[in-house]
Amino acid sequence: ASDDECHLSGESTDSSCALDALQRRVVAREAPNVSSPSLAVAGAVPPGMNLGGWLVLEDWFFSGAGGRHVASQNNSGQGTCLPPLLWGMDKEPWSSEGLLTKQLQDSRGEAEVLKIFSAHRQRYISDDDFKKIVTLGIRSIRLPLPWSTFADALSPIDAEAYKPGAKIVPDPFYAEQASFVTVDRDWLAQILRQAAHHKLKVVLDLHNMPGGSSDGTYNGIWPLKPKFWTDSVSTSGGEVVPLTTVGLWIAEAMVKWVESLGPSELGVVEGITLLNEPGHMASIDKNNSKPFTRGEKQVLDWMGETAGLFRRSTLPGKGVKLYVSASEPSFDNFWETVPGWYSQSFSLQERHSWAVFDIHWYTAWGGDKCSGRTVPGGRYLCSQAVDEVRPMLHTCIEDDMAKFAGKVDGLKSCSEFSLSTFEDAVLACRNRDILSMYLQEQLDIFEQYRIQGFFWTWRMPYGPNFESAWSYEHIAMGQVAPQESGL
């Protein structure tokens, strides 16, 4: 290991800093040969692909050999590294991006924080990944972005902290606990030009908001309580401003930035999401006496305000779509509430031209109705024959997508789906035959109901326990494990 790597990981430069298997993997940046995709997915290629774990961090992506749960449990994070420079956090794993950044900022200084994040962003996704994605026949990518991409929109709060060109910014509510490394928008424009070179379309997805707009590690401040929907901050002039208003500043800044792009960059932008999964887990948390919104109407009204920002812009006329993300766990009765709001909020013409109703769909949390496990407790066992499992999964997918198609008139997307059969990766299926069948069933039914699908996600090399169901790069290159037995 280099002196820099040892220094940043907190280790000495002697043999105690010897590279383990995971570190050797990143140093070599191992990647399977894409020239011969696995027969396991021949003809089963999703139209869209997420680039998760790149610009928005989630702890389980970087959980090493100990990673287990897709949704981290008991307020304990799983992040043990951020390659290629940050290693050795096994004893005190990091939980979310904002808390990790602040911890490193306080303990190692801004220069090292920027070095760590820059190295990650430069290495995690490269032009080789774009080439592989195109070679597989994928034509669209979804790029999750942190709110800090548009941090200068917060200049009324603190003109110095959120000035244009700031490299690290505090969360405006959790300023003492969370910080974020900004995303340089000129560099982001270069990513769009890179996509254009490969003839890829891009959906720009604003994945989180200040103070936490959802309850999950991707919110940036987990396990702190989400405050976006209920709390306020003060401007430098003493005005008290709700965080939801701050969120509108960020959404407007995103719209204006996309409007300002040159023809080569704008031409690849298939659409934008002004907030991923607004209020995700709000219904469940409320029913567990831990509410973090003021109610479902507040969330829908805010979504309507962001739609208005988009509608009044030049983007609909330039062929850019608005992906209206809505999460089932945000609402008590999702299918009775949200489609009705959607049809009232968007005209027939809008719903068939630029507004896209966007959901996420997973069986990882399907319980005894749809999940599969190596042990009892789900709908099926991983050891069962494919022909036994197929009708069960087909019914699960068909029922939900038929409901989607029946409830929503207009363009539809499922911008996140995977092959995970259970959220506990240790107990989830890794059988190649079952997972290949599961992929084909999802894609066939998406196509039947004209639902645009984006697989979650492309790479996950530092969360090896999750790769077989969550990394399409891993799946497509035939690295899915043979059938496993229970514990």
Side-chain angles (χ1 to χ4, degrees):
S2 69
D3 287 349
D4 268 346
E5 285 169 350
C6 294
H7 173 56
L8 290 170
S9 68
E11 301 286 352
S12 65
T13 56
D14 60 20
S15 60
S16 66
C17 194
L19 296 178
D20 64 16
L22 194 58
Q23 288 172 284
R24 288 195 298 273
R25 182 175 188 172
V26 67
V27 170
R29 202 185 187 283
E30 292 177 7
N33 185 343
V34 329
S35 62
S36 54
S38 166
L39 292 177
V41 292
V45 178
M49 184 61 55
N50 279 279
L51 300 184
W54 188 15
L55 304 182
V56 175
L57 303 184
E58 299 185 43
D59 61 334
W60 58 291
F61 276 62
F62 305 95
S63 55
R68 182 157 185 171
H69 295 282
V70 178
S72 295
Q73 309 287 304
N74 303 318
N75 293 337
S76 299
Q78 300 179 87
T80 63
C81 60
L82 186 61
L85 297 182
L86 181 65
W87 301 95
M89 299 187 69
D90 306 66
K91 293 181 179 179
E92 295 185 16
W94 58 269
S95 56
S96 57
E97 180 173 351
L99 273 61
L100 169 66
T101 306
K102 179 63 173 173
Q103 176 188 349
L104 294 174
Q105 186 181 16
D106 290 345
S107 62
R108 307 187 184 189
E110 292 195 1
E112 286 196 4
V113 173
L114 294 174
K115 189 173 183 179
I116 290 168
F117 273 77
S118 178
H120 161 72
R121 290 174 178 177
Q122 292 296 331
R123 291 284 294 275
Y124 193 78
I125 298 291
S126 72
D127 195 62
D128 285 344
D129 292 292
F130 282 76
K131 291 176 183 175
K132 294 176 192 176
I133 287 168
V134 170
T135 299
L136 288 167
I138 297 161
R139 293 293 174 255
S140 294
I141 55 176
R142 179 174 179 255
L143 179 56
L145 299 173
W147 67 262
S148 56
T149 307
F150 305 98
D152 48 334
L154 277 62
S155 59
I157 297 171
D158 187 326
E160 178 61 25
Y162 301 106
K163 65 184 178 183
K167 302 297 185 184
I168 302 177
V169 295
D171 183 279
F173 185 86
Y174 286 116
E176 298 301 316
Q177 294 104 324
S179 296
F180 296 86
V181 175
T182 58
V183 175
D184 182 87
R185 294 197 292 269
D186 289 339
W187 178 75
L188 185 57
Q190 174 57 39
I191 297 300
L192 296 178
R193 292 190 290 273
Q194 192 175 358
H197 174 73
H198 292 288
K199 296 182 171 56
L200 282 166
K201 290 290 188 178
V202 181
V203 175
L204 296 169
D205 160 51
L206 195 58
H207 215 64
N208 52 34
M209 281 288 176
S213 52
S214 55
D215 190 1
T217 64
Y218 69 81
N219 71 6
I221 54 89
W222 191 88
L224 301 175
K225 184 176 181 178
K227 293 291 186 177
F228 177 77
W229 302 101
T230 56
D231 284 74
S232 303
V233 292
S234 296
T235 67
S236 56
E239 180 185 0
V240 177
V241 179
L243 282 169
T244 49
T245 299
V246 175
L248 293 176
W249 296 349
I250 293 168
E252 183 176 18
M254 182 179 188
V255 169
K256 289 182 175 179
W257 180 73
V258 176
E259 284 185 300
S260 75
L261 293 171
S264 60
E265 296 92 353
L266 184 60
V268 305
V269 179
E270 184 170 11
I272 63 175
T273 300
L274 292 175
L275 181 56
N276 170 71
E277 297 184 330
H280 179 62
M281 297 297 287
S283 174
I284 293 172
D285 283 11
K286 178 194 67 177
N287 293 331
N288 289 326
S289 302
K290 298 186 297 182
F292 66 86
T293 75
R294 297 191 188 280
E296 295 178 359
K297 184 178 184 300
Q298 179 200 26
V299 176
L300 291 173
D301 287 349
W302 189 90
M303 291 167 63
E305 289 189 72
T306 63
L309 293 172
F310 185 89
R311 182 182 288 112
R312 293 188 295 271
S313 76
T314 61
L315 296 181
K318 294 180 177 179
V320 178
K321 296 181 176 67
L322 176 66
Y323 285 71
V324 183
S325 176
S327 168
E328 285 199 50
S330 300
F331 301 91
D332 290 342
N333 296 291
F334 180 88
W335 291 111
E336 301 306 316
T337 302
V338 183
W341 165 85
Y342 186 73
S343 63
Q344 293 174 4
S345 300
F346 298 89
S347 70
L348 181 68
Q349 186 273 335
E350 290 171 340
R351 297 197 306 271
H352 286 267
S353 58
W354 57 260
V356 184
F357 194 114
D358 180 31
I359 65 169
H360 297 163
W361 193 84
Y362 297 115
T363 58
W365 295 271
D368 60 6
K369 178 184 176 183
C370 291
S371 74
R373 315 176 190 187
T374 61
V375 296
R379 175 71 182 275
Y380 59 91
L381 290 170
C382 303
S383 56
Q384 287 181 241
V386 171
D387 288 344
E388 293 178 14
V389 176
R390 184 189 298 274
M392 302 178 198
L393 282 174
H394 180 91
T395 298
C396 289
I397 306 163
E398 170 71 26
D399 285 355
D400 283 354
M401 296 308 120
K403 182 188 297 182
F404 188 10
K407 293 281 189 179
V408 176
D409 175 38
L411 302 175
K412 291 176 278 291
S413 170
C414 179
S415 64
E416 292 185 20
F417 73 98
S418 76
L419 300 189
S420 175
T421 65
F422 189 42
E423 66 83 26
D424 183 338
V426 174
L427 302 180
C429 301
R430 294 190 294 274
N431 177 285
R432 179 182 292 113
D433 294 335
I434 283 182
L435 297 186
S436 298
M437 173 272 292
Y438 184 23
L439 175 61
Q440 189 67 66
E441 286 288 334
Q442 290 183 90
L443 295 178
D444 286 348
I445 294 173
F446 287 166
E447 182 176 10
Q448 175 186 343
Y449 290 109
R450 302 182 69 180
I451 298 166
Q452 182 185 23
F454 291 81
F455 190 87
W456 185 272
T457 186
W458 174 242
R459 303 189 74 227
M460 201 175 289
Y462 316 118
N465 291 341
F466 301 101
E467 282 186 291
S468 61
W470 296 91
S471 166
Y472 193 80
E473 178 190 44
H474 186 91
I475 295 160
M477 301 312 140
Q479 299 181 60
V480 181
Q483 180 65 56
E484 69 288 350
S485 59
L487 291 181

